[in-house]
Amino acid sequence: LPPAGPNGGEGLRSAAILVHDAAGRTVRQFGPRLSAPGEHAWEWDGRDAQGRALPAGIWYYLVTVDGRQALRGSVALIR
């Protein structure tokens, strides 16, 4: 996570990750959770919010920090 403000790495940040399908529908959400600035790892098991295994393919993610888009990308799910 980036620093909390102009004073550097002080304070906690609210971070969340949304996983979307190709149509833009959210299939899974992680967080928000409070974290200190720095590097963090999140693990996705390839399941939707109801615990169902999703099919292989390309899935898209959006990372938000303090409610603002921080990063987006894609991941290949291989079964």
Side-chain angles (χ1 to χ4, degrees):
L1 295 175
N7 296 328
E10 299 174 8
L12 297 176
R13 308 296 300 268
S14 174
I17 298 177
L18 302 169
V19 179
H20 303 279
D21 64 13
R25 293 178 295 247
T26 300
V27 297
R28 184 84 181 261
Q29 178 174 333
F30 299 93
R33 71 179 185 197
L34 292 177
S35 300
E39 189 172 305
H40 299 274
W42 299 51
E43 187 173 317
W44 176 45
D45 60 4
R47 297 181 180 278
D48 67 11
Q50 288 74 41
R52 297 178 296 226
L54 293 167
I58 303 297
W59 296 88
Y60 301 90
Y61 61 87
L62 170 66
V63 179
T64 61
V65 176
D66 294 337
R68 288 178 270 182
Q69 178 180 322
L71 178 70
R72 66 176 41 232
S74 61
V75 61
L77 178 61
I78 301 170
R79 297 238 177 245

